[in-house]
Amino acid sequence: ESQNCMPAQDREYKSVSGTLSQQRAQYEGIRAANQQDLTVKKNDLAVFNFIMDITKCKGTNLLQSSVSLNGSAPVQVCSRDQGFELAFEDSATQAKVEQMMTPGVRKALDSALGVAFDSKLKASFVEESVGVTPKPTPVRESPPKSVQWKKCTDGPVNCGLLHDTMSLQWGKFKDLVDELEAEMDRNKDAWKALKEDLNEQLDVISAQKAECQTGFDTAVGSKNAL
């Protein structure tokens, strides 16, 4: 019986070890995918953090207490062929926003700005050409911004409305980050519990195999003593 129990323990140990390896690979695969998704979501949130900071109401207008010397608003809400966007008067701010912009944020901005400002653009806007019509070029998916039409709000944007609009979007993106982080924490706790359980099973099997070995050695020793 002692001789027969060791192969059985070996098979059981191998089975549990295989389950442990399989579960570890599955957990690490899910964690890697979630970490990649979390990076994207945090990048999205970083854009709204930046926009939220620069759209805080100061005085009566956005970014500064009065309109600039040329009479234009510090920021405008504009509509282009590809959707709504923010057009900042300060070129450095505009460049920073464009550099940070992600597809997810661009889509959310288009939707949110459209809901909040579309009626205002229809009621009062300036439609302008942003460049001279170019010579015929090979067909492309969309023309560059330099030759696209746009219509923008004329005059200072209502910073309260804009900031509230951005706040709602920030909250949505923050929820996505928090939810994914909570899911990752739950997955980590579940994997930790499962790993501990499987390792305990391996310890028990190892102990049982040691008992089998001891019993086998004792039986062989008794037989040889005869």
Side-chain angles (χ1 to χ4, degrees):
E1 183 180 349
S2 299
Q3 185 176 5
N4 292 333
C5 78
M6 285 188 291
Q9 299 301 328
D10 285 338
R11 288 192 297 271
E12 188 174 358
Y13 191 95
K14 183 178 180 180
S15 175
V16 175
S17 294
T19 299
L20 179 60
S21 298
Q22 182 182 26
Q23 292 297 320
R24 176 182 288 109
Q26 182 177 342
Y27 166 71
E28 291 179 350
I30 293 174
R31 183 185 62 179
N34 283 341
Q35 186 60 55
Q36 186 175 12
D37 189 24
L38 183 61
T39 298
V40 172
K41 285 179 167 57
K42 284 187 173 181
N43 287 340
D44 290 343
L45 184 61
V47 182
F48 277 106
N49 281 332
F50 181 73
I51 294 177
M52 283 285 292
D53 185 57
I54 61 177
T55 58
K56 291 178 181 177
C57 294
K58 298 180 180 180
T60 57
N61 293 319
L62 184 64
L63 299 181
Q64 57 191 46
S65 60
S66 61
V67 296
S68 59
L69 294 178
N70 63 11
S72 63
V75 66
Q76 293 176 305
V77 174
C78 296
S79 175
R80 291 183 180 271
D81 293 340
Q82 295 178 331
F84 291 87
E85 64 182 19
L86 294 174
F88 293 93
E89 182 185 83
D90 180 65
S91 59
T93 300
Q94 187 68 41
K96 178 68 173 178
V97 170
E98 290 297 330
Q99 181 183 16
M100 297 178 67
M101 190 63 64
T102 67
V105 172
R106 193 178 299 278
K107 183 177 179 180
L109 275 178
D110 174 36
S111 176
L113 293 175
V115 171
F117 291 94
D118 186 41
S119 61
K120 293 174 176 57
L121 283 171
K122 289 178 179 177
S124 173
F125 68 85
V126 288
E127 187 172 284
E128 60 185 50
S129 172
V130 193
V132 180
T133 303
K135 296 178 181 180
T137 55
V139 176
R140 54 189 298 163
E141 207 169 296
S142 61
K145 282 190 174 182
S146 60
V147 296
Q148 289 181 11
W149 65 268
K150 71 174 182 179
K151 56 182 180 180
C152 302
T153 52
D154 188 13
V157 172
N158 183 321
C159 84
L161 175 59
L162 180 59
H163 191 69
D164 287 347
T165 301
M166 295 301 99
S167 295
L168 289 173
Q169 295 305 309
W170 178 90
K172 292 178 181 178
F173 279 80
K174 183 64 165 61
D175 286 345
L176 292 176
V177 170
D178 291 344
E179 288 169 5
L180 183 54
E181 287 182 331
E183 178 184 340
M184 293 175 71
D185 287 341
R186 290 193 298 271
N187 289 345
K188 182 179 179 180
D189 291 341
W191 162 241
K192 181 180 179 181
L194 177 61
K195 181 174 64 173
E196 289 177 352
D197 178 61
L198 292 174
N199 280 326
E200 286 178 5
Q201 291 184 43
L202 292 176
D203 289 342
V204 170
I205 295 170
S206 295
Q208 290 174 343
K209 182 179 178 180
E211 290 179 6
C212 285
Q213 184 67 52
T214 299
F216 177 73
D217 292 344
T218 299
V220 171
S222 300
K223 183 177 180 181
N224 291 337
L226 295 178

